[in-house]
Structure formats: structure tokens, C-alpha cells
Amino acid sequence: MNSVDLHRQQVRSDHRTRDIVNQAIAALPEVGLRRAAEFLFAMGVPHPIALRTLVYPEQRRPYP
């Protein structure tokens, strides 16, 4: 995989999901992991994305 392919993987096309995930991440210290996950699931964020962003912060995409 070259750098162009890698860049394409990092580009977000779903801004709605990005915004919802960012809200959950921002609220995480206040509401906790369980409530942040419940929020993401209720908002229709796919489970693999929700779990990756909440449980494995080192795997999050960089926020531009």
C-alpha cells in the first residue's frame, strides 16, 4: 500500500457519523464508557466503529 492509498483510507465521507463520534468522545470523561457507547449505538453508529473509537483511542483517525 502506498501513501496515496493510505491517504484515501483516512478521508472521511460520512460527516454525520464523524460528528456523532466526536460528540461521544468529548462526553466520555463526563458520562463514561457505557453511556457513550449507548449513545453511539442509539445514533446508528456501526458497532465496530463505536467500539474502536471508544475502547482503542490509538486507532482513531486523526481529526483535521
Side-chain angles (χ1 to χ4, degrees), residues 23-37 39:
Q23 288 177 356
I25 291 169
L28 194 55
E30 186 176 328
V31 301
L33 182 62
R34 182 182 182 128
R35 292 200 56 202
F39 169 73

Side-chain angles (χ1 to χ4, degrees), residues 4 13 23 28 35 52-53 55 58:
V4 173
S13 59
Q23 288 177 356
L28 194 55
R35 292 200 56 202
R52 182 185 73 232
T53 58
V55 178
E58 68 279 357

Side-chain angles (χ1 to χ4, degrees), residues 17 19-47 49-55 60:
T17 299
D19 293 342
I20 292 168
V21 167
N22 287 340
Q23 288 177 356
I25 291 169
L28 194 55
E30 186 176 328
V31 301
L33 182 62
R34 182 182 182 128
R35 292 200 56 202
E38 289 171 350
F39 169 73
L40 291 177
F41 297 151
M43 297 301 290
V45 174
H47 288 216
I49 294 171
L51 292 174
R52 182 185 73 232
T53 58
L54 295 176
V55 178
R60 292 179 192 153

